[in-house]
Amino acid sequence: MYRGKKIIGIIPARGGSKGIPRKNIKNIHGKPLIAWTIETALASEYLDEVIVSTDSSEIKEVAEKLGARVPFLRPDKLAEDTSTSMDVLLHALDYMKNKEGKEFDLLMMLEPTSPLREVKDIDSSIESLVNHKSARSIAGVSFVEGASPDFVVTLDNGLMRSKSNFVVKRRQDIDDYYFYEGTIYASYVADLQERKNFYHQDALGYIVPKWKSFEIDDMVDFSIIEHLLIQREKGLLE
């Protein structure tokens, strides 16, 4: 709880994964992937409850051994390739309200594919959201470097087309742009249920450094993040 707001952390963890089989429980730097997110969430000062939403009994067993609650196995219709994270979150909120009589002011989604997330990211983002006068959600963003719109082109029948009309600018002369990344998503529950989106005009951006913005989608990402976890353990990343 923070400033009287009751907060739930939801970790969505589907059993099926095309890119990396059994990805959420695959060992990375000595732990199942999902362990990094569960342990960080449980260490938060502000999350009143941490639950895992999964369709997999195997993931359920691993998550419960790590200390997370898995109060249900989600329906098959919410475990397909076309299922959305928003559907999963709303289902979890409905379950907690209707089956356990628990309601929350804020929800934080913590995806296992961002294991570089730290406790301070969870707690600082909650503080930023609750203390802001008008924001209704907050989501992780990271600084766009070489892929700035001023440095990219489209191809038209093989010919380059430039948004900047081929004017080559110095890096220090371009506007700062940020891309959506997966470390943090949080919202007031009522707004999430109405808008069904973390991204809107009332959303804060929680800035994370480049190294922390990596997400696991394939084995290349997996190898990069495992190396970053080792580097962080050595105190080489801040």
Side-chain angles (χ1 to χ4, degrees):
M1 185 174 289
Y2 178 67
R3 297 188 65 178
K5 307 296 184 186
K6 195 171 182 182
I7 309 169
I8 185 172
I10 300 178
I11 302 171
R14 188 165 68 98
S17 175
K18 290 184 176 179
I20 304 176
R22 302 171 70 243
K23 175 173 64 178
N24 285 311
I25 53 176
K26 183 176 174 62
N27 189 72
I28 181 168
H29 193 40
K31 302 176 184 178
L33 174 59
I34 197 171
W36 295 93
T37 294
I38 290 175
E39 290 174 359
T40 302
L42 291 175
S44 166
E45 183 179 352
Y46 302 138
L47 294 181
D48 297 284
E49 186 139 14
V50 175
I51 69 168
V52 172
S53 172
T54 184
D55 61 307
S56 165
S57 57
E58 189 177 23
I59 291 176
K60 172 180 168 69
E61 182 179 353
V62 171
E64 289 178 336
K65 285 181 179 178
L66 291 164
R69 288 193 63 222
V70 188
F72 55 82
L73 286 178
R74 77 167 83 140
D76 291 341
K77 66 179 181 180
L78 294 179
E80 300 171 353
D81 290 340
T82 56
S83 303
T84 68
S85 296
M86 192 56 56
D87 290 338
V88 169
L89 297 178
L90 296 177
H91 168 265
L93 287 172
D94 287 343
Y95 181 94
M96 297 300 287
K97 178 180 179 180
N98 297 325
K99 300 296 185 181
E100 299 193 4
K102 297 178 180 179
E103 296 187 70
F104 301 87
D105 300 295
L106 274 78
L107 174 150
M108 174 165 280
M109 178 173 72
L110 300 165
E111 295 182 313
T113 46
S114 294
L116 294 165
R117 179 194 304 105
E118 297 178 286
V119 178
K120 65 182 178 182
D121 297 311
I122 295 175
D123 290 349
S124 294
S125 61
I126 289 172
E127 290 172 0
S128 296
L129 176 56
V130 174
N131 290 330
H132 197 279
K133 291 182 179 180
S134 61
R136 306 306 296 171
S137 72
I138 188 166
V141 295
S142 193
F143 180 63
V144 171
E145 297 181 0
S148 166
D150 289 294
F151 294 150
V152 299
V153 298
T154 58
L155 294 179
D156 179 9
N157 201 28
L159 297 172
M160 288 192 290
R161 300 291 180 258
S162 170
K163 188 174 182 180
S164 64
N165 199 29
F166 299 104
V167 174
V168 179
K169 299 180 181 179
R170 299 183 305 163
R171 188 178 298 276
Q172 57 267 40
D173 293 333
I174 66 172
D175 293 330
D176 287 346
Y177 287 90
Y178 297 85
F179 64 88
Y180 301 145
E181 60 86 55
T183 298
I184 289 294
Y185 303 88
S187 174
Y188 284 93
V189 167
D191 289 84
L192 193 71
Q193 291 171 327
E194 178 183 350
R195 304 190 200 214
K196 297 178 174 56
N197 204 333
F198 290 99
Y199 302 118
H200 44 71
Q201 293 295 326
D202 302 313
L204 286 173
Y206 179 78
I207 301 174
V208 304
K210 178 181 178 180
W211 67 267
K212 200 180 289 187
S213 71
F214 285 96
E215 302 174 56
I216 294 179
D217 186 52
D218 55 31
M219 283 306 300
V220 173
D221 303 326
F222 198 92
S223 298
I224 290 171
I225 288 179
E226 186 158 41
H227 176 71
L228 290 170
L229 286 167
I230 294 169
Q231 296 300 100
R232 184 178 70 180
E233 189 176 81
K234 294 178 178 178
L236 300 177
L237 296 172
E238 293 183 3

